[in-house]
Amino acid sequence: MAGKKVLIVYAHQEPMSFNGSLKKVAVEELSKQGCAVTVSDLYTMNFEPRATRNDITGKKVRIVMHLQLCRPDLQIQSVMFILIFPSFCIYVKCQNQFSWILKEHCALSNPEIFRYGIETYEAYKKTALSSDILEEQRKVQEADLVIFQFPLYWFSVPAILKGWMDRVLCQGFAFDIPGFYDSGFLKGKLALLSLTTGGTAEMYTKAGLSGDFRYFLWPLQHGTLHFCGFKVLAPQISFGLDVSSEEERKVMLASWAQRLKGIWKEEPIHCTPSWYFQE
Ligand code: FAD
Ligand code: ZN
């Protein structure tokens, strides 16, 4: 639909892959509709998947002032004192009778014991998260629909996409306590998992070897996307890629393109435990 904004978070290493083809189909179809489509191509971006203290950046506050202890008779061109306190650093530089104090707030609220969830929550409020996280959050904020395109890895998302979820969907931005599930901060947005599997559709039934495909969707659709407030559209699962024929793959691509034509009229799934485990 013209004017709608779509973010595709894409996690495949190879543009010629089937995932690459599915992504291409989505970009083409949605662009044809007049949607503004943005792609986060995680491998090409070399996206950092690890949730570390590097995600919290310092904000420097510079104060220029005359300092009593700098005496002109000292004839010292440059003296440096670096005083390190638990929660902040003061860097004092004396040059003749003038001095500068650069007060750099240490980014961490508790530098002694690092707690990623708490620190990123605080950093989000102070706009002190690393720029790659802020950029992805901006894309999510603008999007009406977020499509995740990925191959199933161990009944889950590839690590690079898991890292995107861990780092981008932080407390304060995507949810708060309270402020989750239907009250999650991304409410009003749609999310859709478009994934490929090696296993066949038959394997992913209740009686099949791998169990119902809805079981592995539970942590992703409910525990992550719904938790953050997204309304979840039915997943697009291209099954059995590792044993598929060229013809079957063409049909899967065509059905994705066809579905996207009516995507804005779709109703979200009822994302409750029963959708996954009882129906
Ligand atoms: P590709 O191998 O890239 O593509 C399949 C075929 O489609 C290729 O021959 C390609 O040339 C062809 N193709 C590409 N574009 C087109 C086009 N436009 N038209 C026609 N053909 C085209 N599977 C499971 O089911 N469960 C798991 O838990 C699981 N865990 C895994 C864990 C790891 C670490 C790995 C590496 C794989 C795992 N798999 C699992 C398998 C994996 O999900 C599949 O291999 C993957 O989904 C296939 O998608 P692909 O895009 O990589 O396919
Ligand atoms: Zn749910």
Side-chain angles (χ1 to χ4, degrees):
M1 201 198 288
K4 292 282 189 187
K5 292 185 177 163
V6 182
L7 170 63
I8 302 178
V9 185
Y10 165 68
H12 202 290
Q13 309 85 346
E14 171 54 60
M16 307 275 276
S17 66
F18 195 72
N19 272 267
S21 295
L22 287 163
K23 185 258 291 173
K24 195 160 164 270
V25 161
V27 172
E28 284 169 3
E29 174 52 37
L30 293 164
S31 303
K32 215 187 315 170
Q33 294 174 20
C35 301
V37 185
T38 303
V39 178
S40 283
D41 180 344
L42 301 184
Y43 289 102
T44 301
M45 290 157 69
N46 203 17
F47 188 79
E48 168 60 88
R50 292 169 298 180
T52 68
R53 62 178 73 205
N54 293 340
D55 291 351
I56 296 101
T57 61
K59 281 216 124 189
K60 289 176 185 172
V61 182
R62 173 170 278 193
I63 307 157
V64 180
M65 57 162 58
H66 186 81
L67 208 69
Q68 294 294 323
L69 64 88
C70 295
R71 289 160 31 211
D73 56 296
L74 287 177
Q75 299 290 309
I76 297 169
Q77 286 302 304
S78 181
V79 181
M80 282 184 199
F81 304 95
I82 299 172
L83 310 171
I84 300 170
F85 294 101
S87 60
F88 63 94
C89 312
I90 296 179
Y91 165 49
V92 181
K93 187 181 180 194
C94 292
Q95 241 173 353
N96 296 335
Q97 68 265 53
F98 296 107
S99 68
W100 290 263
I101 292 185
L102 178 68
K103 186 175 175 193
E104 184 180 332
H105 285 284
C106 244
L108 299 179
S109 59
N110 182 350
E112 279 144 33
I113 303 173
F114 182 68
R115 293 189 177 90
Y116 185 81
I118 292 168
E119 294 295 351
T120 50
Y121 182 37
E122 293 304 320
Y124 174 76
K125 290 187 272 188
K126 292 187 287 189
T127 327
L129 285 169
S130 64
S131 58
D132 61 337
I133 296 179
L134 293 177
E135 179 62 10
E136 293 306 297
Q137 290 179 340
R138 186 190 60 75
K139 294 179 197 171
V140 172
Q141 200 60 66
E142 286 186 355
D144 299 296
L145 165 64
V146 182
I147 296 175
F148 296 88
Q149 181 63 60
F150 61 95
L152 190 69
Y153 276 10
W154 299 124
F155 279 25
S156 187
V157 289
I160 201 164
L161 178 50
K162 178 60 163 54
W164 185 96
M165 291 170 169
D166 292 347
R167 298 176 66 231
V168 176
L169 302 176
C170 75
Q171 186 171 356
F173 169 69
F175 70 94
D176 209 339
I177 315 287
F180 51 85
Y181 286 120
D182 291 346
S183 314
F185 294 172
L186 304 180
K187 61 179 180 285
K189 298 183 187 297
L190 297 167
L192 189 164
L193 300 183
S194 174
L195 62 112
T196 61
T197 71
T200 61
E202 195 186 20
M203 286 168 74
Y204 284 106
T205 57
K206 267 200 169 66
L209 262 183
S210 301
D212 197 314
F213 65 86
R214 294 186 182 203
Y215 302 157
F216 67 68
L217 294 174
W218 167 251
L220 298 170
Q221 289 190 165
H222 182 75
T224 309
L225 299 174
H226 185 188
F227 189 85
C228 296
F230 280 108
K231 293 264 185 298
V232 180
L233 294 178
Q236 182 74 18
I237 309 184
S238 305
F239 286 107
L241 258 294
D242 297 350
V243 291
S244 62
S245 67
E246 178 80 9
E247 192 49 40
E248 286 167 331
R249 294 194 292 270
K250 295 275 181 243
V251 170
M252 287 189 267
L253 286 169
S255 74
W256 178 223
Q258 187 58 34
R259 179 180 172 193
L260 287 168
K261 289 185 199 304
I263 201 77
W264 301 107
K265 294 198 190 106
E266 284 191 15
E267 285 296 320
I269 64 162
H270 292 286
C271 187
T272 58
S274 63
W275 187 89
Y276 298 86
F277 302 111
Q278 275 162 38
E279 278 176 25

